[in-house]
Amino acid sequence: AIVIVAYNRVHSLKRLLKSIAQAEYDRKDIPLIISVDRGEQNIDVVRIAEDFDWEYGSKKVVYQQENLGLKQHILQCGDYTKEYGSIIMLEDDLYVSPAFYLYARKALDFTEQMDQIAGVSLYNHLFNVHTREPFSALEDGFSNWYMQFASSWGQAWTCEQWLKFKSWLLSRENDEQFDDPRIPHNVASWSDHSWLKYFIKYMIENDLYFLYPRISLTTNFFDEGQHAKKAVTDLQVPLAGRKQRAYHFSSLEQSEAVYDAFFENSKLEQKMKEFLQTEELCVIDLYGYKTQKSRYLLSGACKPYQVLARFGCRLRPMDANIYEETEGDYFFLYDTSVQGKKPKKADVDQYLYHYRALKSKYMVKLLFYRIKEAISIQKSNQ
């Protein structure tokens, strides 16, 4: 089934439904559920849902009896897996590729018997949401990659995948502890009204992963709404085209692109163990965002420890520089048990690497825009 989660955004829902109507399907018995959370301005949203012509199966519009909020709305809609076996869930500010349904079915079939997979993402990250820097997964020849970070911008679950999470969540009803260093501070700081926050914790504690596509099947308009003060384009990504693709999925063991919740390549740890000829833990922290402690640390941050090796940052994605041992002074392999002089690197190298498309005049305009924005916020808070 396709489950749409909607609330208070008429134009967003119309846009999403338009993209769904234009997609490709190989059957005529696909249930479509449009669940609208109750709100003061939702009469038009319900009307749009009821007027939508769905020619590929049954359609059901559910208008909630009371306002659930996003977290409870998602949790309730996830339970449709019990009725339909598996679901694709889409929030109303998304837009789908013509291939989204066919991809989701194949990915769910592939992961159905894989105990370490907690769900399937239809969205492909090109942006590290913690550090607000560009990201891309290492290319390894497969149609997918993995991350210990749940997707909320187009996702699919089998009944078993969803019910395992729900069972864990019910057993942790009063657990509000998010001080585990394996959980990014950004995630821990999210509101308790975020379902995603709890799903990520569940994955980390149980060593589970989401399967992600190489080419995105959804993109995110991030329209103004309950959790966004204004629309931005940060999360827009290229969509897979209409042409049918033969997907070649990897298992976790086969994949070289397996990332933790910090967007760091977990497979690099084994590379560093071989480099150091040790079995001790080596924390991978190319973005310089982690707080996890260990004797060995591979980081993009300048630290006061003994430097065992240095790597440049010329190849893309960033982790390719470690695999290929690119020369330079950008990433440092530290022995944190030995004090040393902080290495130096030019900050401008980081900006030029990540923001290659920004011209100087645009950067100046952006600076003035941010200053005006900060002043405006300060005035509104007075």
Side-chain angles (χ1 to χ4, degrees):
I2 300 169
V3 180
I4 296 175
V5 181
Y7 176 68
N8 214 28
R9 295 189 287 200
V10 174
H11 297 297
S12 299
L13 181 60
K14 287 175 70 174
R15 184 178 59 218
L16 172 59
L17 291 174
K18 176 185 175 183
S19 69
I20 288 174
Q22 295 172 343
E24 296 180 342
Y25 305 94
D26 58 355
R27 53 200 300 171
K28 291 278 190 176
D29 60 346
I30 304 168
L32 173 66
I33 299 100
I34 305 174
S35 181
V36 182
D37 202 5
R38 185 164 289 274
E40 294 180 0
Q41 302 174 6
N42 269 340
I43 295 175
D44 289 340
V45 177
V46 174
R47 179 179 54 80
I48 293 298
E50 290 178 341
D51 290 348
F52 178 64
D53 183 23
W54 177 242
E55 58 182 280
Y56 296 99
S58 62
K59 185 190 78 172
K60 178 166 66 173
V61 178
V62 180
Y63 188 34
Q64 301 298 331
Q65 295 301 306
E66 58 184 22
N67 180 258
L68 299 174
L70 183 59
K71 178 184 175 182
Q72 290 305 318
H73 198 186
I74 294 289
L75 294 178
Q76 182 170 299
C77 287
D79 287 342
Y80 281 117
T81 55
K82 291 184 282 189
E83 183 176 349
Y84 297 104
S86 60
I87 64 168
I88 299 167
M89 184 180 289
L90 303 167
E91 292 187 34
D92 56 9
D93 61 346
L94 300 177
Y95 194 84
V96 300
S97 153
F100 88 100
Y101 187 81
L102 300 181
Y103 167 84
R105 280 188 56 196
K106 290 179 181 179
L108 285 171
D109 286 346
F110 178 76
T111 62
E112 189 173 15
Q113 304 301 321
M114 297 171 66
D115 292 338
Q116 266 191 285
I117 305 306
V120 168
S121 176
L122 277 67
Y123 181 85
N124 178 39
H125 283 283
L126 295 178
F127 182 74
N128 184 324
V129 299
H130 309 309
T131 64
R132 301 189 61 81
E133 293 175 334
F135 164 85
S136 59
L138 188 74
E139 176 59 54
D140 60 0
F142 291 99
S143 303
N144 65 296
W145 57 283
Y146 293 96
M147 185 157 61
Q148 203 160 63
F149 194 89
S151 176
S152 64
W153 301 326
Q155 62 272 9
W157 290 288
T158 65
C159 181
E160 185 175 3
Q161 289 166 350
W162 177 256
L163 290 182
K164 282 182 177 179
F165 164 64
K166 281 297 292 288
S167 176
W168 174 90
L169 187 64
L170 290 172
S171 71
R172 302 296 186 91
E173 192 170 0
N174 299 316
D175 180 10
E176 300 295 336
Q177 298 298 315
F178 282 84
D179 54 358
D180 186 331
R182 296 174 300 170
I183 301 174
H185 175 71
N186 179 42
V187 173
S189 69
W190 291 347
S191 164
D192 292 338
H193 298 297
S194 167
W195 71 271
L196 185 63
K197 173 180 181 176
Y198 292 92
F199 208 111
I200 293 170
K201 181 179 182 180
Y202 157 71
M203 291 172 64
I204 291 171
E205 288 188 358
N206 294 279
D207 195 25
L208 304 175
Y209 292 84
F210 251 59
L211 180 147
Y212 278 82
R214 287 285 171 183
I215 305 176
S216 197
L217 287 303
T218 59
T219 191
N220 190 346
F221 275 81
F222 206 68
D223 292 326
E224 183 178 346
Q226 189 174 8
H227 295 280
K229 293 182 179 180
K230 61 180 180 179
V232 295
T233 57
D234 292 350
L235 305 176
Q236 287 283 4
V237 292
L239 284 174
R242 185 172 293 275
K243 186 176 180 181
Q244 179 66 33
R245 285 182 170 83
Y247 296 108
H248 183 37
F249 296 117
S250 68
S251 66
L252 274 168
E253 292 73 21
Q254 292 171 316
S255 178
E256 293 179 10
V258 180
Y259 292 79
D260 62 21
F262 293 83
F263 290 69
E264 300 284 0
N265 192 328
S266 303
K267 293 285 179 98
L268 274 181
E269 185 184 340
Q270 186 56 41
K271 164 79 173 176
M272 290 298 95
K273 286 181 177 180
E274 293 170 2
F275 187 88
L276 293 164
Q277 297 183 330
T278 182
E279 284 302 311
E280 285 195 55
L281 172 69
C282 178
V283 170
I284 308 301
D285 188 25
L286 303 187
Y287 284 99
Y289 185 70
K290 289 183 178 179
T291 59
Q292 188 177 356
K293 306 296 183 183
S294 69
R295 176 176 177 181
Y296 297 109
L297 171 67
L298 177 63
S299 178
C302 296
K303 304 276 189 178
Y305 305 121
Q306 181 184 22
V307 176
L308 302 178
R310 301 165 184 261
F311 304 92
C313 190
R314 307 289 293 279
L315 296 172
R316 301 179 191 276
M318 291 199 307
D319 33 341
N321 292 283
I322 312 303
Y323 278 110
E324 301 302 328
E325 300 183 16
T326 305
E327 293 183 357
D329 291 295
Y330 195 100
F331 301 115
F332 306 96
L333 177 60
Y334 297 104
D335 182 344
T336 65
S337 68
V338 182
Q339 293 294 307
K341 187 177 180 181
K342 271 189 180 183
K344 293 182 179 180
K345 70 175 186 180
D347 288 341
V348 69
D349 291 342
Q350 180 177 349
Y351 305 143
L352 292 174
Y353 179 81
H354 284 308
Y355 306 108
R356 53 185 171 171
L358 274 181
K359 294 181 179 179
S360 299
K361 64 178 181 180
Y362 297 150
M363 294 181 73
V364 172
K365 288 182 178 180
L366 180 60
L367 174 62
F368 280 108
Y369 170 77
R370 292 299 189 195
I371 292 172
K372 286 173 63 179
E373 187 178 47
I375 293 172
S376 176
I377 293 172
Q378 188 178 25
K379 286 182 177 178
S380 66
N381 292 334
Q382 289 177 349

